[in-house]
Amino acid sequence: MTATTSTATLKISGLRAVAGGVEILHGVDLEVAPGQVHALMGPNGSGKSTLAHALMGRPGTTVTAGSIAIGDTELAGLPSWRRARAGLFLALQHPIEVPGVRLEAMLTEALTESGGDANRVAAALEAEADEIGFDRRFLDRALNVDLSGGERKRNEIVQLGVVKPRFAVLDEIDSGLDIDALRAVARRVERATSEWGLGVLAVTHFRRLLQELRADRVHVMVGGLIVADGGPELADELDASGYGAYIP
């Protein structure tokens, strides 16, 4: 579908994970190639956000078996910052406030650590903000402080555009966005798949995201397992009939 700069895939194999003392993921297999968009859909409580957290190593979610790899680099067991350095990015469903830490300072440090060009951060921030309609005034604030839910989601995409990771896990990036913001965010992510070969795993409940961010594959998760895979037409089917056919 798109031009890429790397052939390494994000490969998830037999992944099991525990959250809150309960096993939520029971053996997930999924592979995302550079430049591809994969949508992960499913009913509430099916394990979609747990998968996102397990991939990034978020505290409170523990991988107990299986593999998470980008190319030959195994990520399971690594701290989150090492996974980020390997090229993985997580846009949280509920981005948190970080008082005292400015966005530009954070991204400058991130690019410095990863060997990127930290000198381009200020200009890149303004360009990315303008592209998705994120008010430049917010660039000087501490991270997400006093931002609305939708503004925080746009802030995540601004960060993605500056850092340019290899793979992005978007956990309900469409939640809280109005129609125009959703269109701008989805189109920016779509362009990234060709601009630098970004691979995307988008967790979503709604087909409307996929009207702008075109999915190569759609996966259905129920009970901590992927129970169905298909092309973009699967999202249309789910939108029309729900998940009843996939729930035991």
Side-chain angles (χ1 to χ4, degrees), residues 163-196:
V163 174
K164 291 182 167 50
R166 298 164 77 180
F167 294 93
V169 181
L170 310 179
D171 190 3
E172 296 194 31
I173 196 68
D174 47 345
S175 175
L177 293 179
D178 61 35
I179 293 172
D180 292 332
L182 174 62
R183 183 177 295 115
V185 162
R187 288 179 177 178
R188 178 62 186 110
V189 176
E190 174 79 18
R191 284 193 296 275
T193 63
S194 56
E195 186 179 331
W196 70 85

Side-chain angles (χ1 to χ4, degrees), residues 97-180:
E97 291 187 2
V98 187
V101 177
R102 292 181 62 248
L103 179 59
E104 183 176 342
M106 182 192 73
L107 293 176
T108 298
E109 185 68 20
L111 285 178
T112 299
E113 283 295 314
S114 64
D117 182 7
N119 293 321
R120 69 176 179 84
V121 170
L125 272 172
E126 292 184 352
E128 293 293 337
D130 291 346
E131 188 163 356
I132 62 169
F134 186 67
D135 196 318
R136 285 191 183 189
R137 293 177 303 151
F138 299 148
L139 299 178
D140 293 324
R141 292 189 184 180
L143 185 62
N144 290 325
V145 171
D146 294 330
L147 297 188
S148 70
E151 288 163 345
R152 293 184 186 198
K153 293 300 183 72
R154 282 196 271 199
N155 198 0
E156 296 279 278
I157 300 305
V158 167
Q159 295 169 49
L160 182 149
V162 173
V163 174
K164 291 182 167 50
R166 298 164 77 180
F167 294 93
V169 181
L170 310 179
D171 190 3
E172 296 194 31
I173 196 68
D174 47 345
S175 175
L177 293 179
D178 61 35
I179 293 172
D180 292 332

Side-chain angles (χ1 to χ4, degrees), residues 39-53:
L40 182 64
M41 306 182 75
N44 291 328
S46 59
K48 302 184 300 298
S49 288
T50 299
L51 175 60
H53 297 166

Side-chain angles (χ1 to χ4, degrees), residues 58-75:
R58 192 179 187 195
T61 302
T62 303
V63 171
T64 57
S67 171
I68 306 165
I70 295 179
D72 296 328
T73 303
E74 176 60 50
L75 304 184

